[in-house]
Amino acid sequence: MHKPVEWGVLGAAKFARQFMAPAIHAANGARLAGLATSNVGKAEPFQAFCPDLTIYDSYEALLADPAIEAVYIPLPNHLHVEWSLKALDAGKHVLCEKPMTMAATEFESLIQKRDATGLLAAEAYMIVHHPQWQFVRKLIADGIIGKLVHVTGAFSFDNRTDVTNIRNKAETGGGGLRDIGVYVIGGVRFATGQEPVSVESAIRWEDGIDAFSEIRARFPDFTYSSYVSIRMHPYQEMVFHGEGGVIRLTTPFNARVFGEARVELHRPGLEVQVTRFPGDDHYKLQVEAFCRSVREGDEYLCPLEFARGTQEMIDLVFDKAVAL
């Protein structure tokens, strides 16, 4: 039995409070040990489920504590690279919220620092740790739906009234593509193992952020279309359409929040087989996979190189976009 990995969280972000800190606290092989925040009031909800949590009054103080082995970084997007590098320099393993960088070229410094320190650094891309995505990847690889012809994806929610939200601020790296575009893009890359050969896109801009984005792409063996928006009714779906069947994920990205994770396999003769995943927590599974990589050297499903590939496609979407 390995000693649990001692975790610290940089900042009392709402997402950390609601999802990732509880996941670290509940994960096998992990111990939520510290939180860095200068706001005592923001620390109280964390202490409610983790009473022995140590509170640090600065990020630097948490990184300076040798007892902390790994840090989770839920800071605004434009701060991710800076604090990931500082954490690695402090000898900490790093799990940083997506998008880990604002541009694919920024991954080079992270990869170099990871390799130089021998520490684990990864983007917190939780969906690849959910068994529904591993199931879908195997179905496609095994040829269950025959030759894959086309993939579609959609992810939307509406936060226009939340004007203080960092997703609505250009200066903090806001917008839909960086927040949820990573899912419709990274999801197809993970499930198929392929990279795009061409990209076309259109974006509707609002105050410097992408409020709606439409993406079309060609991969070596199939075509692809998707959209993401932070100004539309909540919806999500991924569909893999082959010559001999269809795979549909009804809740591909935030299972148990949007609804139950289900994979529909549409077969000839209008047969539909449904596989349900009612209890799987991909945040907890992500932390457990991270800890196994730290303690046992297990291969991590989402290394920096994978995250860089997703960011490269996001960069192309921005570069190729026409305005709507």
Side-chain angles (χ1 to χ4, degrees):
M1 180 69 73
H2 293 285
K3 176 181 177 292
V5 176
E6 301 285 318
W7 284 80
V9 178
L10 294 189
K14 178 181 177 182
F15 186 81
R17 181 182 76 243
Q18 290 184 329
F19 296 105
M20 279 302 297
I24 294 169
H25 184 60
N28 294 319
R31 177 176 175 268
L32 181 58
L35 171 69
T37 178
S38 58
N39 189 323
V40 176
K42 287 187 176 181
E44 290 176 356
F46 291 81
Q47 293 173 304
F49 64 83
C50 187
D52 61 345
L53 190 67
T54 299
I55 307 302
Y56 304 81
D57 62 6
S58 70
Y59 304 154
E60 291 86 355
L62 184 148
L63 294 181
D65 188 344
I68 300 294
E69 299 176 86
V71 294
Y72 166 65
I73 301 176
L75 300 174
N77 296 342
H78 68 300
L79 298 176
H80 288 175
V81 173
E82 174 189 353
W83 284 98
S84 292
L85 291 172
K86 286 181 178 180
L88 289 167
D89 278 333
K92 315 302 183 187
H93 302 282
V94 172
L95 183 64
C96 179
E97 258 313 316
K98 51 76 193 163
M100 199 165 185
T101 73
M102 297 287 286
T105 53
E106 294 182 293
F107 271 99
E108 189 57 35
S109 62
L110 294 167
I111 290 171
Q112 288 181 357
K113 186 68 69 174
R114 176 201 65 187
D115 293 346
T117 60
L119 297 164
L120 177 58
E123 184 178 75
Y125 193 65
M126 75 293 186
I127 68 169
V128 300
H129 302 283
H130 197 290
Q132 71 170 337
W133 278 98
Q134 296 165 25
F135 178 56
V136 167
R137 182 165 68 164
K138 188 174 189 308
L139 289 176
I140 294 170
D142 289 348
I144 300 300
I145 59 171
K147 181 182 184 299
L148 182 61
V149 178
H150 188 69
V151 179
T152 61
F155 197 4
S156 64
F157 63 91
D158 191 344
N159 73 344
R160 76 186 72 202
T161 62
D162 190 2
V163 295
T164 63
N165 193 300
I166 60 173
R167 295 164 184 82
N168 285 322
K169 297 181 178 181
E171 63 270 23
T172 57
L177 279 168
R178 291 189 175 103
D179 186 46
I180 56 178
V182 296
Y183 296 118
V184 297
I185 288 172
V188 67
R189 294 179 57 248
F190 178 76
T192 66
Q194 295 192 25
E195 303 293 345
V197 295
S198 67
V199 172
E200 298 177 356
S201 58
I203 295 177
R204 186 174 73 245
W205 298 92
E206 290 185 12
D207 299 322
I209 62 167
D210 53 294
F212 172 87
S213 299
E214 181 185 11
I215 307 165
R216 298 173 301 281
R218 286 194 306 108
F219 285 73
D221 296 333
F222 59 91
T223 54
Y224 166 88
S225 61
S226 67
Y227 65 87
V228 296
S229 177
I230 55 175
R231 296 292 185 268
M232 294 171 67
H233 182 79
Y235 185 71
Q236 57 184 265
E237 181 184 58
M238 286 290 291
V239 177
F240 299 83
H241 199 149
E243 291 181 345
V246 172
I247 299 168
R248 176 175 178 255
L249 291 85
T250 60
T251 310
F253 307 127
N254 56 351
R256 303 202 309 169
V257 177
F258 185 75
E260 181 186 66
R262 294 185 299 155
V263 175
E264 299 175 357
L265 177 59
H266 296 247
R267 305 295 298 275
L270 300 181
E271 176 190 358
V272 181
Q273 300 173 2
V274 180
T275 303
R276 292 177 166 84
F277 303 84
D280 294 290
D281 181 342
H282 46 200
Y283 300 113
K284 178 174 176 284
L285 292 171
Q286 174 181 239
V287 174
E288 291 174 346
F290 193 96
C291 292
R292 288 194 301 272
S293 293
V294 168
R295 287 288 187 253
E296 303 171 27
D298 287 8
E299 182 180 0
Y300 193 67
L301 275 175
C302 187
L304 293 180
E305 288 80 0
F306 178 85
R308 178 175 59 187
T310 296
Q311 188 60 52
E312 286 172 346
M313 188 167 171
I314 290 175
D315 291 350
L316 281 173
V317 172
F318 280 125
D319 291 344
K320 301 293 185 180
V322 297
L324 291 172

